[in-house]
Amino acid sequence: MMIPACPLADLPRGEAFRLETDPAVTVFHTEDGELFAIDDTCTHQDASLADGWVEDCWVECPLHASKFNLKTGEVDAPPAKLPVRTHEVVVEDGMVYVKLSTAAPNLPHCAVRKLAGTTA
Ligand code: FES
């Protein structure tokens, strides 16, 4: 499924745009001008990667500093152990779209419970 994110003009280089999909997805526009989309939630705990620091094609989790590759989703080092899911980004007529992956997300247990509406 392809969903509209935002106009490319509203997403300057170095910025991120969080889509309130379920689960949330974030589009990153790198300083090099590349666009990537990954699941917004860190695979370790419930941290938003949209609030992380981007360098080259890596985003550093704001909570415990594991880094995720924006191209492949791979994680560099613990505490996160699982890769984050990646999505395809398409720009058409100045609009950024995200083609959502059909793979299962690697959400942390706390985020899965939140999505399910339970706290136990
Ligand atoms: S919440 Fe991201 S590394 Fe811990």
Side-chain angles (χ1 to χ4, degrees):
M1 176 171 51
M2 195 137 94
I3 54 172
C6 63
L8 182 58
D10 291 349
L11 186 59
R13 292 181 183 206
E15 297 290 321
F17 182 86
R18 180 180 148 114
L19 285 84
E20 299 303 327
T21 45
D22 192 9
V25 168
T26 293
V27 180
F28 293 90
H29 194 179
T30 68
E31 294 290 351
D32 292 337
E34 292 185 282
L35 292 162
F36 300 104
I38 61 173
D39 280 347
D40 183 62
T41 305
C42 180
T43 60
H44 176 230
Q45 288 180 4
D46 194 7
S48 170
L49 295 174
D51 296 332
W53 294 272
V54 175
E55 189 172 345
D56 298 325
C57 64
W58 293 84
V59 60
E60 182 179 310
C61 176
L63 214 50
H64 306 115
S66 285
K67 291 182 188 172
F68 295 91
N69 186 298
L70 296 172
K71 288 182 186 170
T72 65
E74 75 174 294
V75 63
D76 73 330
K81 293 179 183 155
L82 296 173
V84 73
R85 190 173 59 160
T86 61
H87 308 274
E88 187 180 340
V89 178
V90 177
V91 178
E92 276 181 17
D93 299 327
M95 189 73 185
V96 178
Y97 294 88
V98 175
K99 191 172 178 187
L100 291 176
S101 167
T102 55
N106 285 325
L107 297 174
H109 294 298
C110 51
V112 171
R113 286 196 301 268
K114 202 159 84 179
L115 281 173
T118 62
T119 54

